[in-house]
Amino acid sequence: MSNLYCAMALSLVLSACGAPAPISPVGTAPPPTNEPEPEPEPTANWVPPELWGASTLEDLDDDPNVVEVRLTAAPIWIDLTDEIGFEGYGYNGRWPGPTLQAKVGDEVVVHFENQLPEPTTVHWHGLRIPDAMDGSPRIQAPVQPGETYTYRFVVPEAGTFWYHPHVRSNEQIEKGLYGTFVVREPDHPKLDAERVFVLDDILANGSGLPPFLASHPEQVHGRSGNVLLVNGRVAPPRFNVEKNRVELWRIVNTANARTMMLTLEGATFAVIGTDGGRLQEPYYPDRIELPVGQRYDLLVVYDRPGPVRLLSHVFVVDENEEVVRRPYELAVVEVAESDYVGGPIRWPAVTPRSARSVDREVVVELSGANTPNGIEWTINGRRFPEEPIFTFNENETVHLTITNLAGPEHPFHLHGQFFEVLDEAQPGLKDTVLVPGLETVEIVAYFDNPGRWMAHCHILEHAELGMMSEIVVEPR
């Protein structure tokens, strides 16, 4: 840890921070066939930082406190590799979809159009917004083909979020419907670069995408892909930087089922943000376990010349027919020697959270069973329960004991609220937590956002097969 502090002292001040299917890469993807969108013109009072690794949605409103965009879901042709191409889905002709950028307190207006051959919605994953704008099909009637819908809400906090459909999610997300949503503090510091890494895997063969939910392993473990993707590409991105540069990396796992195990070699880094935004104090793990739906913000310092590699350690079958983890490159950086010394990076203060006593304790049981119709997944013994599994009052603090009664893991995701994991190794506010097979995880949830909220496993096949319910938060 002391070495990291020494490296960071060169160029920044953290002021006020106080068993899936094996992977087998199948080649290098050619350039996308669609033309990139024009970059948005800066507003008068706030200029979004350049965001490497993502196209961005154009802001149509001149008001610096309003972000108004158009978002269209439509079929697109995806050239995954020289050998594999298929008709997938995209937002604004992009895969992944373009990044929406805003600052805390902005009103966001999204004019959404559905040009797909099936209904869909847009869920703003991780954002604590009104439930009517959350994209839940239990509240919002899905947008039919050829129809439009306007999402309108105010973004309450900074962080890295993402958006995706909540109708037939296991198919629509796998086909390409997902994008990132970056919200910054108004006084967000200037860094040498900000980068978005949207991690995914996809199950593909020479004819495109195999049928969905057609195999028993997919129903049991979820759909693990055979190709790793970063920002929709097979080939890992490569770029050059100078020594002592400091960057913010925003990493999102959008896969259907695969938990990513990540390491960063050749540079020092600190975790400064999780699902719920920036941490009061950074921390310094050797590796990052990133289940489906979670996000991490990393402050990366290039403190020495040479190669830097972001690696995903995935299960493979080795020459001895044993299942082992092997590293695969997700990104490669070449760091050149330089005399560059940057100035201090001063972060806005993170307001300490007030201590709150627990008002209630409840138990959540995640389970599954074989039926004549295949695998069914349940929450508290029920598949897609019509009635809410719990009803709480606004501002209640609830201790949830989440027990996984089955062997496969479940990333438990809660809409519209944040919680803390009672595990020192997982600091920060979360909206998703991994519950390993046959284990128990305890969280304390802060139900401050009234409404009807979905709670489900974010392995999309598990949710599609029943592990999805609702929690009601009654307004005071």
Side-chain angles (χ1 to χ4, degrees):
M1 186 179 302
S2 59
N3 290 338
L4 181 58
Y5 274 119
C6 291
M8 287 185 172
L10 295 172
S11 53
L12 72 141
V13 174
L14 282 171
S15 63
C17 261
I23 287 287
S24 51
V26 293
T28 300
T33 57
N34 47 290
E35 290 297 322
E37 292 186 344
E39 292 297 320
E41 291 295 326
T43 58
N45 298 336
W46 183 70
V47 179
E50 180 181 351
L51 197 60
W52 175 95
S55 61
T56 55
L57 283 164
E58 179 184 3
D59 185 359
L60 305 174
D61 196 303
D62 292 334
D63 188 329
N65 299 316
V66 176
V67 178
E68 184 175 6
V69 299
R70 297 191 184 279
L71 189 69
T72 300
I76 62 171
W77 184 260
I78 295 172
D79 286 312
L80 188 64
T81 71
D82 292 334
E83 297 82 22
I84 301 176
F86 58 91
E87 186 176 78
Y89 292 164
Y91 289 116
N92 291 18
R94 307 289 302 186
W95 181 50
T99 297
L100 200 163
Q101 298 191 75
K103 67 180 185 301
V104 174
D106 279 352
E107 180 183 26
V108 173
V109 183
V110 181
H111 301 291
F112 175 67
E113 181 178 356
N114 180 14
Q115 294 183 3
L116 302 173
E118 59 179 307
T120 192
T121 66
V122 183
H123 165 54
W124 311 98
H125 183 119
L127 288 168
R128 298 194 302 171
I129 58 179
D131 60 354
M133 296 289 104
D134 187 56
S136 166
R138 295 193 175 205
I139 298 176
Q140 177 197 344
V143 183
Q144 299 298 313
E147 293 185 352
T148 61
Y149 186 85
T150 296
Y151 293 92
R152 187 185 300 268
F153 51 84
V154 174
V155 287
E157 52 248 330
T160 302
F161 308 98
W162 63 299
Y163 60 92
H164 61 79
H166 233 297
V167 175
R168 286 160 46 89
S169 302
N170 65 311
E171 296 190 26
Q172 293 189 6
I173 292 177
E174 177 84 343
K175 289 181 177 180
L177 285 184
Y178 55 85
T180 51
F181 193 147
V182 171
V183 183
R184 299 181 179 86
E185 298 101 335
D187 49 356
H188 182 80
K190 180 176 175 56
L191 298 144
D192 292 309
E194 287 192 31
R195 304 184 189 271
V196 171
F197 296 90
V198 183
L199 309 185
D200 191 10
D201 68 354
I202 191 169
L203 185 61
N205 54 35
S207 59
L209 302 180
F212 292 88
L213 290 174
S215 72
H216 185 74
E218 185 169 315
Q219 294 179 29
V220 173
H221 297 287
R223 189 178 179 96
S224 284
N226 59 338
V227 182
L228 286 176
L229 300 175
V230 181
N231 298 342
R233 304 290 180 265
V234 174
R238 297 175 180 272
F239 47 95
N240 300 316
V241 301
E242 294 179 322
K243 180 183 172 184
N244 297 334
R245 297 285 178 176
V246 180
E247 299 183 348
L248 177 60
W249 287 15
R250 302 177 183 269
I251 303 179
V252 185
N253 183 359
T254 65
N256 275 38
R258 184 181 294 275
T259 295
M260 307 286 182
M261 190 68 69
L262 308 177
T263 59
L264 183 63
E265 295 181 349
T268 56
F269 74 95
V271 174
I272 65 168
T274 55
D275 296 353
R278 197 154 49 84
L279 302 172
Q280 286 184 255
E281 296 290 338
Y283 71 101
Y284 314 92
D286 295 326
R287 63 179 186 175
I288 294 173
E289 183 180 66
L290 187 63
V292 177
Q294 274 195 357
R295 291 86 65 206
Y296 278 92
D297 291 348
L298 310 183
L299 198 67
V300 178
V301 181
Y302 301 112
D303 56 340
R304 52 195 180 275
V308 174
R309 300 194 302 162
L310 177 64
L311 301 172
S312 178
H313 299 263
V314 302
F315 289 110
V316 298
V317 179
D318 68 8
E319 58 276 3
N320 299 319
E321 297 188 353
E322 296 181 354
V323 177
V324 297
R325 284 192 184 271
R326 288 257 173 89
Y328 282 81
E329 291 180 342
L330 297 180
V332 180
V333 187
E334 289 296 334
V335 183
E337 187 62 80
S338 172
D339 296 329
Y340 172 82
V341 177
I345 299 173
R346 303 191 182 279
W347 294 87
V350 176
T351 303
R353 299 183 61 256
S354 301
R356 291 169 58 164
S357 59
V358 171
D359 300 304
R360 199 184 309 192
E361 297 188 9
V362 300
V363 173
V364 176
E365 292 184 340
L366 310 177
S367 189
N370 278 301
T371 74
N373 297 321
I375 298 292
E376 288 187 353
W377 292 103
T378 61
I379 296 182
N380 284 4
R382 302 176 65 190
R383 179 179 182 268
F384 292 132
E386 292 289 335
E387 299 80 19
I389 55 172
F390 302 114
T391 298
F392 303 122
N393 292 317
E394 183 181 358
N395 298 326
E396 270 199 277
T397 301
V398 181
H399 180 282
L400 289 89
T401 300
I402 309 172
T403 299
N404 186 351
L405 301 178
E409 65 185 23
H410 298 297
F412 179 79
H413 173 52
L414 180 60
H415 286 215
Q417 322 291 330
F418 290 137
F419 55 78
E420 290 183 281
V421 183
L422 298 183
D423 177 358
E424 292 183 355
Q426 301 187 61
L429 292 173
K430 309 270 189 179
D431 55 56
T432 307
V433 62
L434 185 65
V435 187
L438 303 176
E439 293 191 20
T440 294
V441 171
E442 297 182 67
I443 67 174
V444 173
Y446 307 103
F447 289 97
D448 297 336
N449 193 10
R452 296 169 53 192
W453 302 103
M454 301 182 79
H456 62 91
C457 176
H458 220 289
I459 290 180
L460 301 177
E461 290 69 30
H462 293 176
E464 196 67 21
L465 294 173
M467 193 171 277
M468 181 155 46
S469 59
E470 191 173 74
I471 292 174
V472 171
V473 181
E474 296 281 6
R476 290 190 182 272

